[in-house]
Amino acid sequence: MATLDWNSLPRPIVALSPMADMTDSAFCRIVKSMASPVVFREMVSSEAVVRGNDKTLGMTGIHPAERPLVQQLFGSDPAVMAEAARVIYESHGPEAFDVNMGCPVYKIVHNFNGAALMKEPARAAAIVKAIREAVPVPVSVKIRTGWSDPADCLAFAPVLEQAGAALITIHGRTKAQGYAGVSDWARIAEVKRLVSIPVLANGDAHTAPRVVEMLEATGADGAMVARGALGNPWIFAQADDLLAGRPPREVTTEERIRVVKAHARLHVEQYGDPSTSLRVGLSQSKPERGVHTFRKHLSWYFKGQRGAKLFREKLMRVSTLAELDAALDAVSASAP
């Protein structure tokens, strides 16, 4: 099976961030169809993997078009995390694993997962070491600047490097901040100067120009794009354009609708048809179920678009691909 060598990848690395309920196989495939970023799949529970939960195991299926792919895990028990990585690797062979030590959501941190691990450096190091021993691919870690003190990362990052982490991604906010305030790019730059392994910067890169600004401000080896990619999978190709000295490509209404239709079909394939679904636990007997769950993407694709309020209500009521196509065709017909 293949592996991902972070040190040999061309710089800068521009990656799709793992986002719960969003960076599934369908979305990752759409992103990869336009550019070639490394994609991080949404986090899965190590405990659920080890218990053999069908829904969770189904979330780890990989389509060839997504590779190279990094599977993110969350958990707090080194042995369980290692076993979960082993199970996933033997089943699907992701090119790397990532450990979530940055999620600020209560249901994650109250079980000592996510950002809570920044308060336990020894446990965090043990997790990295255990996974490294269990699988033959790199292990990276996603962290924040700290729990409440934004200087926590200055002591925490070297611990992860010494434990064998191959790469660190830093979201420039503390757990206490959540997603409020601004991402502290200067702090990310400090960590980059402190460690010798690759560092990806994360936080507030919502547009392609902001991706370039973040890279320049942090000196990081790359950028990880999260919410900026929702409804905007073109951001990676646009960032590539800017980094190459070209004007960023424009997204016409026709192009937007073409991609939305393609994404919807991949989404329905994954969630609506049990014969083709990668996510076994969420597959349904009716394709309409896939259209229902796709509505969250529609709100992102048309957020801020001219005249969006006039057709958003109709898009949010679609229940079949035929209804979605008709609504999208109406959007196209009304475009200036």
Side-chain angles (χ1 to χ4, degrees), residues 60-74:
T60 63
I62 302 172
H63 188 279
E66 298 174 82
R67 298 185 184 276
L69 181 142
V70 184
Q71 177 63 64
Q72 190 179 73
L73 292 169
F74 75 88

Side-chain angles (χ1 to χ4, degrees), residues 284-304:
Q284 303 289 329
S285 59
K286 296 182 179 180
E288 289 78 4
R289 172 61 181 170
V291 175
H292 289 164
T293 58
F294 186 69
R295 291 172 182 170
K296 62 189 175 187
H297 288 286
L298 289 172
S299 65
W300 282 101
Y301 273 115
F302 293 98
K303 183 179 180 180

Side-chain angles (χ1 to χ4, degrees), residues 39-91:
V39 294
F40 284 67
R41 184 69 74 71
E42 60 183 317
M43 65 180 178
V44 294
S45 164
S46 59
E47 295 278 355
V49 170
V50 171
R51 289 197 307 268
N53 180 275
D54 284 343
K55 173 182 175 180
T56 303
L57 290 171
M59 292 169 67
T60 63
I62 302 172
H63 188 279
E66 298 174 82
R67 298 185 184 276
L69 181 142
V70 184
Q71 177 63 64
Q72 190 179 73
L73 292 169
F74 75 88
S76 58
D77 185 311
V80 173
M81 290 284 277
E83 176 61 10
R86 185 195 66 77
V87 169
I88 294 170
Y89 183 76
E90 290 189 356
S91 298

Side-chain angles (χ1 to χ4, degrees), residues 241-315:
D241 288 336
L242 290 174
L243 291 166
R246 302 184 297 265
R249 65 201 65 186
E250 295 184 7
V251 182
T252 63
T253 299
E254 290 74 16
E255 166 69 1
R256 184 174 302 278
I257 290 173
R258 180 190 70 80
V259 169
V260 172
K261 287 182 176 181
H263 187 180
R265 279 156 175 77
L266 291 178
H267 190 89
V268 168
E269 174 188 302
Q270 182 173 354
Y271 296 98
D273 184 347
S275 68
T276 59
S277 180
L278 286 170
R279 186 181 293 223
V280 177
L282 286 185
S283 63
Q284 303 289 329
S285 59
K286 296 182 179 180
E288 289 78 4
R289 172 61 181 170
V291 175
H292 289 164
T293 58
F294 186 69
R295 291 172 182 170
K296 62 189 175 187
H297 288 286
L298 289 172
S299 65
W300 282 101
Y301 273 115
F302 293 98
K303 183 179 180 180
Q305 294 300 303
R306 185 176 179 181
K309 291 182 180 179
L310 299 176
F311 51 78
R312 182 179 296 147
E313 183 178 347
K314 187 172 184 178
L315 285 170

